[in-house]
């Protein structure tokens, strides 16, 4: 036995989403500070990955297929508890609920259906295509190419786009959409549970409208296929800002040009640094 | 007091979604046969509307803003019970969970966040437009213009499109998208809770691919604004059928050309009547 060895070689994603059984369908977790967004809070997708890991312990099906998470209050670095409930186990799918709490206060509630994505019918028809991007090495690192405050999730997740974002240079483009490559900075192949984290790991598309921040209220993720190792091509888009609320759609395509994840969130703009036209 | 009068004049939507308190946060409901899809089952959106009505009884905020529902097993005409839980009441939003059961078996679980959509910030920016449709009286009634098996929900909800659907004439177009007008056949102005029903009330867009049926696993609805009375302009689209699973996006625009609801579901194809290319 090599004490500590697994920790010293394991990837931050795997270490930081670990859950330990502490009772009937209950787990303890430790929210790391390595996945923070602004304000010292863990970014939303990290909480999802922790909840998925707990559900994976209690549901018989292998793969997360669809999840919906409601963000109730900020998840912060420190101890957490995840309580789970098996809602239904069917022949083909299984559904469960996870509640992540800190200091006895529920922070995140997720319902998810698992299935086996390796044994599916052959029916496939696509009416959309992956983003057309120059090769990653010909793109710029969206964080490294700019100055400004850094958040720890940017040290975990790398985004590379053909050109730097307008908002990062203080000049929002007015177009709330973006296409870019994504991967973990510390090398790790993507899998379904890491896709659920990655759909929420990039800067909100509404930053290109001059938004100073955005808080996710609800996030739904569809996991469509097991990703092939390599860079992930992503597309983020907001089409409707109405009364301060906005949706954001996110697609992730793998290195085989296969759609592997699709998400939509409803979020609330904090404030606008410039007027919308 | 005029016994029964409210029933005799009330709209089927209001009558059939009624909930009666039977205990702490529990309600009884009666699932009517007036909203059936094929197989003698209530269509999904009807169950949503019943759950929303129960949550409206227990949450302090006025308007449903975002909901996610997992369909666990078929809801059928007959008695039902809805148990609710207040998850969080915040300054601006309130979140609750509703579980609809029949014969002591949970059929539908919904989490929803309510807010007040009449007092929102002014921030609005649209990067999409309503469907361009001829006036409703110049369109065809999608049900009345075809022969074939009828389902009771088609007697409640009217859809009018510029041309009859290909699949209804036995010739699927191969394009899983549709734009059409929608309203209740028995006159009733749309409101937020009826929009949650209507996003799921049209035939699935995948019927134009030759699908013989589709079962919703999860449905997320964003309610974006109170609708103005009148016809609703709708857009349904599936872009990705992968391994038998498909998403469907749905938008509803009101008679003021305002986006009032946006939904996405993940569903499973039953079987294909023709091969996909």
């Amino acid at each position: 036995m090599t004490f500590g060895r697994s920790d010293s070689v394991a990837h931050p994603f795997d270490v930081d989403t670990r859950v330990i059984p502490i009772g009937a369908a209950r787990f303890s977790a430790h929210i790391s500070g390595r996945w923070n967004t602004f304000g010292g809070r863990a970014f939303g997708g990290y909480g999802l990955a922790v909840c998925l890991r707990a559900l994976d312990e209690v549901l018989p099906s292998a793969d997360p297929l669809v999840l919906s998470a409601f963000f109730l209050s900020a998840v912060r670095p420190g101890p957490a508890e995840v309580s789970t409930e098996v809602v239904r186990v069917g022949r083909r799918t299984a559904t469960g609920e996870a509640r992540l709490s800190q200091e006895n206060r529920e922070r995140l509630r997720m319902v998810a259906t698992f299935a086996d994505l390796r044994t599916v019918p052959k029916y496939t028809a696509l009416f959309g295509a992956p983003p057309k991007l120059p090769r990653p090495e010909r793109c710029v690192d969206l964080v490294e190419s700019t100055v400004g405050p850094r958040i720890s999730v940017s040290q975990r997740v790398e985004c590379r786009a053909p050109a730097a974002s307008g908002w990062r240079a203080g000049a929002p483009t007015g177009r709330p959409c973006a296409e870019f490559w994504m991967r973990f900075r510390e090398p790790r192949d993507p899998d379904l549970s890491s896709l659920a984290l990655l759909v929420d790991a990039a800067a909100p598309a509404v930053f290109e409208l001059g938004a100073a921040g955005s808080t996710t209220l609800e996030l739904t993720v569809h996991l469509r296929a097991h990703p092939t190792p390599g860079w992930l091509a992503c597309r983020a888009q907001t089409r409707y800002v109405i009364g301060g609320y906005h949706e954001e759609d996110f697609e992730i395509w793998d290195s085989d040009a296969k759609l592997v994840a699709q998400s939509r969130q409803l979020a609330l703009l904090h404030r606008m640094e410039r007027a919308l036209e």
Side-chain angles (χ1 to χ4, degrees), chain A residues 54-61 85-89 94-96 112-114:
Chain A
L55 284 178
D56 187 49
E57 297 286 322
V58 299
L59 294 177
S61 301
E85 177 199 351
V86 176
V87 176
R88 174 183 176 267
V89 175
T95 300
T113 291
F114 280 51

Side-chain angles (χ1 to χ4, degrees), chain A residues 17-251:
Chain A
T17 60
R18 198 169 281 167
V19 295
I20 299 163
I22 52 170
R26 286 169 54 230
F27 301 86
S28 74
H30 184 83
I31 303 300
S32 154
R34 295 195 282 189
W35 305 88
N36 275 6
T37 179
F38 296 103
R41 296 172 292 116
F43 90 102
Y46 175 29
L48 292 194
V50 173
C51 287
L52 275 184
R53 195 130 168 204
L55 284 178
D56 187 49
E57 297 286 322
V58 299
L59 294 177
S61 301
D63 302 320
L65 169 66
V66 50
L67 68 88
S68 163
F70 284 73
F71 295 87
L72 305 168
S73 58
V75 175
R76 295 184 183 280
E81 189 177 311
V82 183
S83 65
T84 64
E85 177 199 351
V86 176
V87 176
R88 174 183 176 267
V89 175
R91 191 172 48 85
R92 183 169 189 152
T93 61
T95 300
E97 180 169 298
R99 304 172 181 195
L100 189 155
S101 301
Q102 291 187 299
E103 295 167 340
N104 290 316
R105 188 171 167 199
E106 187 175 345
R107 310 285 170 154
L108 169 57
R109 177 172 298 203
M110 185 171 96
V111 184
T113 291
F114 280 51
D116 185 345
L117 280 177
R118 298 204 190 271
T119 57
V120 292
K122 297 289 173 225
Y123 309 139
T124 293
L126 305 183
F127 299 85
K132 284 191 170 52
L133 291 165
R135 294 155 56 90
E137 54 274 24
R138 302 192 56 187
C139 290
V140 297
D141 183 318
L142 287 180
V143 170
E144 295 303 324
S145 64
T146 51
V147 293
R150 297 294 166 90
I151 54 179
S152 66
V153 65
S154 301
Q155 295 162 25
R156 302 280 87 68
V157 178
E158 181 176 358
C159 295
R160 298 186 75 92
S165 319
W167 67 269
R168 288 184 198 265
T173 61
R175 294 184 303 277
C177 53
E179 295 184 342
F180 46 89
W181 297 105
M182 194 184 251
R183 69 173 175 186
F184 285 120
R185 287 192 191 273
E186 292 104 336
R188 182 188 186 281
D189 289 338
D191 54 14
L192 294 169
S193 57
S194 60
L195 294 177
L197 173 144
L198 292 171
V199 295
D200 192 44
V206 288
F207 281 6
E208 292 295 9
L209 292 179
S214 169
T215 300
T216 305
L217 300 176
E218 191 271 345
L219 171 62
T220 302
V221 186
H222 300 178
L223 285 320
R224 306 298 298 266
H226 285 277
T228 301
W231 280 96
L232 299 165
C234 302
R235 177 183 288 130
Q237 183 175 25
T238 288
R239 285 182 301 155
Y240 306 112
V241 181
I242 301 172
Y245 296 103
H246 68 92
E247 95 291 353
E248 177 170 301
D249 286 355
F250 204 93
E251 291 179 0

